[in-house]
Amino acid sequence: MKKTITLGHGSGGRLMHQLIEDLRLQLSNKILDELADAAEFKIGNRKLALSTDSYVVKPLFFPGGDIGKLAVCGTVNDLAMKGAKPIYLSLAFIIEDGFELAQFKKIVNSIKQAARQAQVLVVTGDIKVVEKGAADGIFINTAGIGVIDYPASLGVKAKLGDFIVINGGIAEHGMAILNARENLEFSSTGIKSDCRHLNFSVQRCLKASKKISMMRDLTRGGLATVLNEIAQGSNLGIEVDQQAIPIKKSVSKMCDVLGFDPLYVANEGKFICFVNQKDAPKVIKVLGKQARIVGRVTSSHKREVYLTTKIGAQRILPMLESDQLPRIC
Amino acid sequence: MKKTITLGHGSGGRLMHQLIEDLRLQLSNKILDELADAAEFKIGNRKLALSTDSYVVKPLFFPGGDIGKLAVCGTVNDLAMKGAKPIYLSLAFIIEDGFELAQFKKIVNSIKQAARQAQVLVVTGDIKVVEKGAADGIFINTAGIGVIDYPASLGVKAKLGDFIVINGGIAEHGMAILNARENLEFSSTGIKSDCRHLNFSVQRCLKASKKISMMRDLTRGGLATVLNEIAQGSNLGIEVDQQAIPIKKSVSKMCDVLGFDPLYVANEGKFICFVNQKDAPKVIKVLGKQARIVGRVTSSHKREVYLTTKIGAQRILPMLESDQLPRIC
């Protein structure tokens, strides 16, 4: 049988990491090899960041956002995670023949609002139309440029002893998408995507502490996947406390009923900040009352994430092979 | 009936221009409003360019190139047209579930080769996998950053009296794609896509003359569409001489047989340079023996393109409404 690329390769799990690693090896260079949310380099007298993402979410419109808002916030947030101030975006559409013009206009309007709120400008773009059946409605790609002013480089590695601060409750985006897509009966719970731009929150953190080693937004694969990536990339251990991880009751309940582990569910407005223990309260303070310290970086059990469960037991929190099912993306 | 976006909106013709104009009005800002192949702006002490394009070509592999080579060269060329030296690319894949891994690797290898030849680095990327039937095999988006060193800004407007220099024969990409896609019987003619990076050719032109007002690559919609855009954007007239426009015999013959006007057929390695009459020979010299002067910019018949046909008659060369059929993209 011929080897193929499958949905599992796009899920944020181990299969995807392998595919990305193959790609990196082929195209290897110093900047790409960092494999950060955004590439970092110097041009002239400024340090810049470049990031890109394609958006293929279904349904296109969901409580808390739509594909347009997502396309702006997602790339803005990837830049922000490198400590960059996002300034310019490119915007490329792939549209299926027969796509409703009114829907397109609604999406463009969301892009406009989201860009205004995040204070970025869309400066260039592209539109491709493909035959009926050759795409699923509409796909959007954005790439973004940001300027890095933070004196120390925000890397992709955590430091031993760092505290891990999260800016709010997890799993809201994934559950909102699932709810909207499958027409489930959780509508009364008011679960909304947390999709939002994080650049100003990040700037506040960077102002509050000069001892931040890294930040990451918790998109595909959720908190657990990102923590595993960081433990491996930093060659250190991570301990998290389940009790401390914020999650809305309605979200937690929906995960329970459907058998999802919220630790692996996607977010679009949540990030974690790795900061020196002493400065953690400063970061909490600027992130507001939803923020929590959820864990810390250790020298024991290197490259693994340990979870202290609600009943006080410790267990390994593994990286998933591919997805939880049904798929949310 | 609900208004929809159709294939015609993606063809480079009048429908597409209208859609892009609507989009520009919504997202309007000084940089976007230029509607150049690449956005131009200053960051720190450097002038930069940013451009993006999605690549949806069918078939994925064709004589003279493939979707990977196209994705590198296309964005490199858009940057080059603003006089920028392309340096960094982002690379985003949307892949259909079940896509063959071997084909993916072949495409990545082409990207690697093309990037090496154009001397650009892929520094960041993204992979999305969508369900079977939700995409047509694979789509690629690239965005690119370039540095602009040319002292005068290369604009989007031609100057009165400019000569128009083309770097070689037209319609090769479109005809090669059509030939490969429809399994036509023109295989013995050896028609190949002209897909190639133009950044070094452009740099040679900019070195040869300081009196270049603008450049444009002749992609979707071909030479005729681009000339119309420029005549309208510059509020000037353009005259072209059909006799002077280079085209390979095999390409011309295939166009004749199938009823295509090569002036509207896509290219992926051809561009036109608007240069002061006196400097035109210098540009021709650095572009090599395929280059020709094909026309000039006039004050008469503003916003229109006039073609002097092979028998010496003059006629308007209009902008198409949507496509020539069958569609080539």
Side-chain angles (χ1 to χ4, degrees), chain A residues 2-6 29 45 53-54 92 97-101 122 126-129 134-136 139 141 220, chain B residues 2-6 29 45 53-54 92 97-101 122 126-128 134-136 139 141 220 327:
Chain A
K2 280 175 183 164
K3 280 190 191 165
T4 62
I5 294 174
T6 63
N29 61 66
N45 60 351
D53 252 323
S54 299
D97 180 27
F99 191 73
E100 246 183 68
L101 197 60
V122 174
D126 178 48
I127 298 174
K128 291 288 186 308
V129 184
D136 192 8
F139 299 141
N141 177 283
R220 273 190 285 190
Chain B
K2 280 176 183 162
K3 279 189 191 166
T4 62
I5 293 174
T6 63
N29 61 66
N45 61 350
D53 253 323
S54 299
D97 180 27
F99 191 73
E100 246 184 68
L101 197 59
V122 173
D126 178 48
I127 299 175
K128 290 289 187 305
D136 194 8
F139 299 141
N141 177 284
R220 274 190 283 189
R327 246 186 115 235

